[in-house]
Amino acid sequence: LYEQTYSDSDMDRITDYWIEHYFREPNYWRIDGQPVVQIFDVVGILKSFGQEKLRVVFDRMRNRVARAGLKGVHLQAALVYVPGETPLKSLGFDSATHYHTFGGAGTGKVIDYTVGVEHSIGLWKETASKLDIPYFPDCPAGWDDSPRYTTHSRVFVHRSPDQYELFMLAAKYFLAERKTQPPIVFLSSWNEWSEDHCL
């Protein structure tokens, strides 16, 4: 992959683009009236800016959005952060989740779906216990990256709709127990055909 670096002006331009093309759309997702922006690689963006400057960048982003007449922006950490070590709240993040919680589950190339589910539920609990911002669980529909990686792929097998229903119920109970507001559950994914997690 190409190295990715970011500047202050890059962040200003992308914020203005979001405002102009997305944030005012009636179907854009909001939490508490604020459009949601999810940062996939927190460690990567931290490398570009450092902690103090990234907080300034996020503050400037919020100011630009407010000046555009919007309620603000909800910043969400998606992945590549260390719960309890990456200072998400002090950086300005409002919430966190994980992209595809099957990562690291099981051993070998072919793994039972229930192993991924059990791993995910454990990861929710461990992560949420170390964060001081809301954490939203993720329920992967499956995983099979053989369309991209062939012999180096990992495949979760024996999934079924009733197992997925139980997985979603586990997420519901997880949120209820922690009184997480709003009670959001992420699905990985609607249509990621190259990793076979599709509903």
Side-chain angles (χ1 to χ4, degrees):
L1 295 175
Y2 287 113
E3 181 183 8
Q4 296 186 41
T5 57
Y6 312 93
S7 68
D8 290 11
S9 58
D10 290 334
M11 299 305 284
D12 289 344
R13 279 196 306 275
I14 193 81
T15 303
D16 291 342
Y17 189 88
W18 290 335
I19 292 166
E20 182 181 348
H21 295 279
Y22 298 109
F23 287 176
R24 289 192 177 97
E25 293 299 314
N27 63 340
Y28 193 91
W29 183 38
R30 294 168 177 81
I31 294 177
D32 295 330
Q34 298 180 333
V36 177
V37 171
Q38 193 177 82
I39 305 293
F40 182 77
D41 185 351
V42 176
V43 170
I45 201 167
L46 263 172
K47 262 202 246 181
S48 287
F49 291 107
Q51 289 187 29
E52 288 181 28
K53 188 158 186 193
L54 183 58
R55 178 63 197 227
V56 170
V57 165
F58 285 165
D59 286 345
R60 199 170 62 249
M61 184 184 292
R62 284 188 164 94
N63 289 336
R64 292 176 94 80
V65 171
R67 283 200 312 270
L70 298 166
K71 190 173 176 182
V73 64
H74 182 104
L75 294 172
Q76 185 171 83
L79 199 63
V80 198
Y81 60 86
V82 181
E85 292 182 28
T86 309
L88 297 179
K89 187 172 186 177
S90 65
L91 288 171
F93 285 97
D94 300 295
S95 65
T97 187
H98 271 102
Y99 172 76
H100 215 291
T101 47
F102 278 19
T107 57
K109 293 185 176 188
V110 179
I111 305 156
D112 197 84
Y113 184 77
T114 57
V115 172
V117 168
E118 290 169 358
H119 175 80
S120 294
I121 293 169
L123 187 63
W124 302 341
K125 293 176 180 178
E126 179 186 350
T127 302
S129 70
K130 295 178 179 176
L131 297 180
D132 51 4
I133 55 178
Y135 175 79
F136 304 121
D138 167 67
C139 292
W143 181 269
D144 175 355
D145 58 2
S146 57
R148 294 196 302 178
Y149 296 114
T150 61
T151 58
H152 302 291
S153 61
R154 300 180 81 225
V155 181
F156 286 82
V157 297
H158 304 133
R159 65 184 174 187
S160 63
D162 61 324
Q163 286 180 328
Y164 195 64
E165 179 183 15
L166 292 173
F167 194 14
M168 296 291 288
L169 281 171
K172 178 181 176 179
Y173 292 135
F174 170 83
L175 292 168
E177 181 182 353
R178 299 188 63 82
K179 298 180 173 57
T180 305
Q181 290 300 321
I184 294 166
V185 177
F186 280 88
L187 313 178
S188 291
S189 276
W190 292 109
N191 59 354
E192 178 53 275
W193 66 268
S194 68
E195 294 171 351
D196 187 38
H197 42 109
C198 315
L199 290 180

